[in-house]
Amino acid sequence: MKYMLLIHNRPGFVDDLTEEERTALFADVDQIMGELTRSGEFVGGQALADPSTARTVRGVDGRPAVTDGPFAESKEQFAGYVEVDCESVERAVEIAASWPDVRFGGAMEVRAVMHDGGAEM
Amino acid sequence: MTTGVEDLLRSAAPQVLGTLVRRHGQFDACEDAVQEALLAAATQWPVDGVPERPHAWLLTVAGRRLTDEWRSESARRLREVAVVAQEPEVVEPDPGDRVAADHGPDGDDTLRLLFLCCHPALTGPSQVALTLRAVGGLTTAEIAAAFLVPEATMAQRISRGKQRIRSAGARFTMPPPDERPARLAAVLQVLYLVFNEGYTASAGADLQRTDLTAEAIRLARELHRLTPDEGEPAGLLALMLLTDARRAARTGPDGALVPLGEQDRTRWDRAMIDEGVALVTDGLARWPAGPYLIQAAIAAVHDEAARAEDTDWRQIVALYRLLGRIEDNPMVTLNRAVAVAMAEGAQAGLEVLEPLRSDDRTADHHRLHAVHAHLLEMAGERDEARAAYRRAARLTTSLPERRHLESRAAALG
């Protein structure tokens, strides 16, 4: 089963960390990415640019209207994702729990990815 | 690649690999060498023609890759400059290279390879990947495309699988008699997983993925041929044939799933059904019924009914009861609930289903809610049925299933 692990965090939280904490954070990310790659579970992932650079397109009176900034007004913002292919949702949650952002006030949302296979009912 | 060459390479792969491992040991290095030889053949043969003795050609090229690899390894160790050997344009097979000449029936190697690739030290995904590469002769890229993951991910599953084989000290031998049933069960499970991956994909009409179905049937056929004294491989092959026989009828022209009861049965593959039925009939006469033989027997009862209303549901109920006694699996009870509803009425089916609604293993499973919805609909409980279809639609991770369940809910107004 494929799962998308959606990383939510406070934009700029890294700025408040000490040099040591920052180095440790990046090393942790490298380590977990390495583990997922070696286990054959890593499918893909991307980090997103700061939400202050986002544009949001909304329908206003049935026409698209563009505004600067992210879609949702909230302290935590969508910061990136990791896609894994693993044996159970429990394993996906375990990976999410070990993601370093969780230690710095972030949240990981685990969502199953839809697939095009189907069994007749 | 022409189909002829492809078929030849696929069937040669395990035999060449078996011979090489027997000679040199080192399963992982040999497997890489054979994969390279297959790739070389896949590019050269369609252009230059198939060599007179294809197995010997593959064995020679793979053997050369292996010695090249060892030479460059030792060269690295000696800090010498490795000379990159150019592959000659025409390979003359060593006359002494004859596959299957130095051991018993050639099939023994294929069976040993299946046991090795499905070794319990490997994770499920690694077992699947390694079996398809080492025994099925598929490339890493083909396997990755079939399972919709990046090639690097699939390559990693294969190399990790080989590491596990090495560190577990697994040997290229038949498992001892006391381990054999469990090891055979693992092989059967891997082949069934491959089959289902391809079969369910046919709803999305992804041709590369549905190739997995043909590959699984080919390997199950081979396994059955190599284990003529066992019932479950016969059962697995029969189950695959009797299921795949319905493939053309299981999706509508727009790709929507068509339930068994509504399928155009004239589109079922008669030849596959006949072969499957013969395997089941023979199997049940010769061996005690195992899970695959029983599931095949259930598929046979469905396939033998000319019209959905001719289905012998009482026999299906009896078969699910038998299956439930062998393995404690709530999915078996779920299927039995449908059969009971068809044989004795919706209320009786709902009673079978009831305990599963509070069972942690099934309470939030989309199949439970889909079956519940179907039985409620049969019972005339339209509002409850609609709610259950919607719940099932929200819980499934399959797009065609979600679409099917949503339209069932909508049909109830």
Side-chain angles (χ1 to χ4, degrees):
Chain A
M1 275 299 302
K2 292 201 181 87
Y3 293 91
M4 201 78 108
L5 312 184
L6 309 175
I7 306 164
H8 298 266
N9 216 328
R10 189 167 56 79
F13 80 98
V14 176
D15 301 345
D16 302 337
L17 303 181
T18 66
E19 183 64 35
E20 212 166 77
E21 285 170 326
R22 259 205 302 276
T23 309
L25 171 65
F26 294 136
D28 286 351
V29 172
D30 283 348
Q31 192 193 329
I32 187 166
M33 291 284 281
E35 281 167 15
L36 292 176
T37 302
R38 282 190 299 277
S39 69
E41 293 173 311
F42 181 75
V43 175
Q46 298 288 346
L48 302 182
D50 193 86
S52 63
T53 65
R55 311 274 192 290
T56 298
V57 183
R58 277 188 183 80
V60 177
D61 299 329
R63 303 168 64 94
V66 185
T67 51
D68 286 339
F71 156 69
E73 295 292 335
S74 68
K75 197 155 68 84
E76 281 86 23
Q77 289 288 335
F78 184 41
Y81 74 92
V82 184
E83 190 181 359
V84 292
D85 184 5
C86 55
E87 288 197 87
S88 64
V89 66
E90 287 77 17
R91 171 63 186 147
V93 169
E94 181 184 67
I95 295 166
S98 59
W99 202 263
D101 287 61
V102 173
R103 293 202 314 274
F104 297 95
M108 301 289 287
E109 188 175 344
V110 179
R111 296 279 291 269
V113 176
M114 297 292 284
H115 56 90
D116 67 2
E120 59 262 65
M121 302 273 158
Chain B
M1 206 194 302
T2 64
T3 313
V5 169
E6 196 171 340
D7 289 349
L8 183 58
L9 291 176
R10 297 268 183 86
S11 66
Q15 296 166 24
V16 173
L17 176 54
T19 306
L20 213 58
V21 174
R22 176 182 310 288
R23 257 180 223 174
H24 304 287
Q26 300 204 11
F27 167 75
D28 49 351
C30 292
E31 203 276 331
D32 281 335
V34 171
Q35 179 77 193
E36 284 186 43
L38 292 174
L39 288 169
T43 42
Q44 288 179 32
W45 293 4
V47 180
D48 303 340
V50 175
E52 209 173 304
R53 293 194 297 130
H55 284 61
W57 189 98
L58 289 167
L59 198 53
T60 305
V61 172
R64 228 174 255 174
R65 296 284 153 113
L66 202 57
T67 42
D68 284 352
E69 177 62 24
W70 283 333
R71 241 178 249 145
S72 67
E73 279 272 312
S74 60
R76 264 199 297 277
R77 277 199 297 272
L78 295 167
R79 292 170 177 274
E80 286 174 4
V81 180
V83 178
V84 178
Q86 290 292 315
E87 199 52 47
E89 289 197 354
V90 178
V91 178
E92 289 298 336
D94 175 346
D97 276 345
R98 197 163 275 131
V99 172
D102 51 353
H103 55 96
D106 63 349
D108 289 358
D109 278 351
T110 303
L111 199 52
R112 284 191 193 93
L113 278 177
L114 278 169
F115 281 127
L116 194 61
C117 294
C118 303
H119 192 278
L122 276 62
T123 62
S126 281
Q127 291 175 334
V128 166
L130 197 54
T131 299
L132 286 174
R133 209 173 95 139
V135 192
L138 293 172
T139 64
T140 306
E142 286 169 330
I143 305 166
F147 283 86
L148 306 173
V149 297
E151 192 176 340
T153 302
M154 199 48 83
Q156 203 53 46
R157 288 181 193 175
I158 290 166
S159 73
R160 174 148 289 201
K162 290 189 193 173
Q163 274 169 29
R164 293 266 177 101
I165 285 179
R166 201 168 42 223
S167 54
R171 304 286 305 274
F172 184 61
T173 53
M174 292 292 182
D178 60 322
E179 285 177 25
R180 189 176 159 109
R183 298 289 300 279
L184 183 63
V187 173
L188 294 166
Q189 195 190 356
V190 164
L191 298 187
Y192 196 39
L193 265 173
V194 172
F195 175 82
N196 274 322
E197 187 74 22
Y199 183 73
T200 55
S202 65
D206 190 323
L207 290 177
Q208 188 142 30
R209 281 161 60 64
T210 54
D211 276 354
L212 286 175
T213 312
E215 183 60 19
I217 291 176
R218 189 178 75 82
L219 293 176
R221 197 181 284 288
E222 186 71 0
L223 179 65
H224 169 53
R225 187 178 71 77
L226 296 170
T227 55
D229 299 323
E230 313 225 27
E232 285 295 83
L236 178 65
L237 176 58
L239 176 59
M240 288 179 179
L241 291 168
L242 291 163
T243 307
D244 201 37
R246 305 194 287 250
R247 185 207 292 229
R250 72 186 287 270
T251 44
D254 54 352
L257 290 167
V258 181
L260 194 49
E262 295 166 23
Q263 289 177 11
D264 174 1
R265 298 183 177 220
T266 61
R267 300 184 68 203
W268 287 0
D269 186 322
R270 266 339 302 180
M272 280 176 122
I273 292 173
D274 291 345
E275 190 189 354
V277 168
L279 278 163
V280 175
T281 312
D282 177 59
L284 289 174
R286 288 172 61 194
W287 296 289
Y292 288 107
L293 264 177
I294 299 171
Q295 290 177 81
I298 293 165
V301 175
H302 283 299
D303 289 9
E304 284 183 306
R307 300 172 307 163
E309 55 268 39
D310 298 335
T311 309
D312 185 349
W313 287 105
R314 284 185 190 282
Q315 199 183 344
I316 293 177
V317 170
L319 288 164
Y320 274 123
R321 271 214 186 92
L322 186 60
L323 187 57
R325 279 204 288 271
I326 297 177
E327 48 182 39
D328 173 33
N329 180 342
M331 289 301 155
V332 175
T333 314
L334 196 56
N335 288 326
R336 182 162 60 86
V338 177
V340 166
M342 297 303 288
E344 299 166 31
Q347 210 49 51
L350 285 166
E351 279 164 28
V352 175
L353 188 79
E354 195 51 36
L356 298 178
R357 299 182 62 209
S358 51
D359 185 329
D360 282 347
R361 295 173 296 177
T362 44
D364 288 327
H365 199 288
H366 70 275
R367 291 266 314 162
L368 172 93
H369 296 280
V371 168
H372 193 208
H374 179 61
L375 301 191
L376 288 167
E377 187 181 359
M378 276 177 74
E381 304 283 350
R382 293 172 65 93
D383 290 344
E384 284 185 64
R386 193 189 314 112
Y389 276 127
R390 292 219 167 110
R391 175 125 181 82
R394 263 180 234 120
L395 288 170
T396 183
T397 56
S398 153
L399 289 164
E401 285 173 15
R402 184 166 74 182
R403 184 172 150 200
H404 172 75
L405 294 162
E406 281 166 349
S407 68
R408 297 302 274 224
L412 288 168

